[in-house]
Amino acid sequence: MPNTVLVTGGAGFIGSNLVRYLLRTAPALRVVTLDALTYAGNLESLTDVAAAHGPAGDGRHWFVCGDVRDAGLLSALVGGTLREAGTDRTVPAPDAVLHLAAESHVDRSSLGPSAFVETNVVGTQVLLDAVRASLAAEPRPFRFVHVSTDEVYGTLAPDDPPFRAGTPLAPNSPYAASKAGADCLVRAYGETFGLPVLTTRCTNNYGPFQFPEKLIPLVITRALADLPLPVYGDGRQVRDWLHVEDHCAALWAVLTRGRLADRVYVIGGEAERANLDVVRGVLAALGKPESLITFVRDRPGHDRRYAMDISATTEALGWAPTRRFEDGLVATVQWYQAHEAWWRRVQSEAYRAARSLYLPG
Ligand SMILES: NC(=O)c1ccc[n+]([C@@H]2O[C@H](COP(=O)([O-])OP(=O)(O)OC[C@H]3O[C@@H](n4cnc5c(N)ncnc54)[C@H](O)[C@@H]3O)[C@@H](O)[C@H]2O)c1
């Protein structure tokens, strides 16, 4: 059981849900969030965490605004010498890392791959080096969990068996290629330097606090405004969907019960759905007409189908998804209806003003 977990990318969609999940699940755990606050990082997704667990709460959460490519910062953060801003205390050294910081949007990766290589590949290497140096200077029990994606496996035909951990990597988008590059580095640091690393590869997540450029929140927020809903190609691309809370539970299981010898755990929701059916599900939940659907030219290199065989993960960790997709989708639609201020401030970019959770300005 770790004492202090460093969560990189903790102001993003999965990261903010994960920080909340960790602090709720492990009452003695301390969590340090590192995030560069790119367009995808949103401190307003951590407002409740800051109130309950920041200095005015039980003091178990720290927020550090910084870039995973910043070797000096990472060395101080992992080594436990980073000064807490505005105090003479240091941020506690982690004995576990959950690495989520990444450029994550596939469409953006075709427009500008270099940011993806920089953050996802180079950033992962810088973080691994910081952990390696810290463990060499101060050997201690440690776990490094790298959070990756099913997209590294490429695409499946309709009748292909689902991906398993050992399926060969065949990434098709620059995003997927950059994640596969990071996966290979993580593996290599385990092999070459004996770092205690594990990699998870998860299918599509959905749930609260997802940036409204991704399919489900995009469709919800546009449908609420009666705007056309762009659907790529014929809409028959199949994705496997997992509620973000179930993903958080899986990451906690991997962190606390994962076996280093297993190297890779695949995570999924056993809920294969065509994109068009997901869009229809949102419209049904909102009582909006399907005439809002507008088919647009397909994304280049668009993978046709992802699916995951999670039996080995379930057997090894005792973890399994708990939410039916249709129930989780309705709950997610209701969350966006109830949190209009959150996504309106994302749309207007007002959320970008905040750079610090605990200091004014
Ligand atoms: N969303 C999914 O369906 C899904 C599925 C499988 C795996 N993943 C993986 O999970 C992780 C999180 O995904 P997400 O959907 O929450 O992404 P997201 O885009 O919502 O969040 C990414 C976070 O990383 C931060 N970040 C980006 N570059 C950074 C840098 N250089 N230094 C520090 N922080 C930086 C951003 O500010 C943001 O807060 C990613 O690694 C992604 O590849 C996501």
Side-chain angles (χ1 to χ4, degrees), residues 225-270:
D226 296 309
L227 290 169
L229 309 177
V231 171
Y232 281 127
D234 61 2
R236 286 277 146 224
Q237 307 86 357
V238 171
R239 301 292 180 259
D240 172 57
W241 292 94
L242 180 70
H243 193 276
V244 65
E245 278 277 318
D246 279 332
H247 188 190
C248 294
L251 293 177
W252 180 241
V254 171
L255 182 67
T256 54
R257 303 198 291 280
R259 298 180 300 227
L260 293 183
D262 286 347
R263 295 170 190 268
V264 172
Y265 290 104
V266 291
I267 301 168
E270 298 188 312

Side-chain angles (χ1 to χ4, degrees), residues 1 17-29 31 53 60 245 248-249 252-253 256-257:
M1 185 67 74
N17 280 284
L18 180 62
V19 167
R20 190 175 290 104
Y21 178 91
L22 294 171
L23 289 161
R24 187 180 74 229
T25 303
L29 189 71
V31 176
H53 304 294
R60 291 194 293 133
E245 278 277 318
C248 294
W252 180 241
T256 54
R257 303 198 291 280

Side-chain angles (χ1 to χ4, degrees), residues 9 11-15 34-38 40-42 66-69 99-104 119 147-149 175 179 202-205 210 214 247:
F13 161 49
I14 300 173
L34 171 73
D35 200 293
L37 299 180
T38 68
N42 186 350
D67 197 305
V68 279
R69 293 166 300 172
H99 177 39
L100 289 87
E103 289 290 343
S104 71
T119 284
V147 178
S148 189
T149 166
Y175 162 67
K179 293 296 288 187
C202 186
T203 59
N204 277 33
N205 282 219
Q210 188 167 28
K214 302 283 170 71
H247 188 190

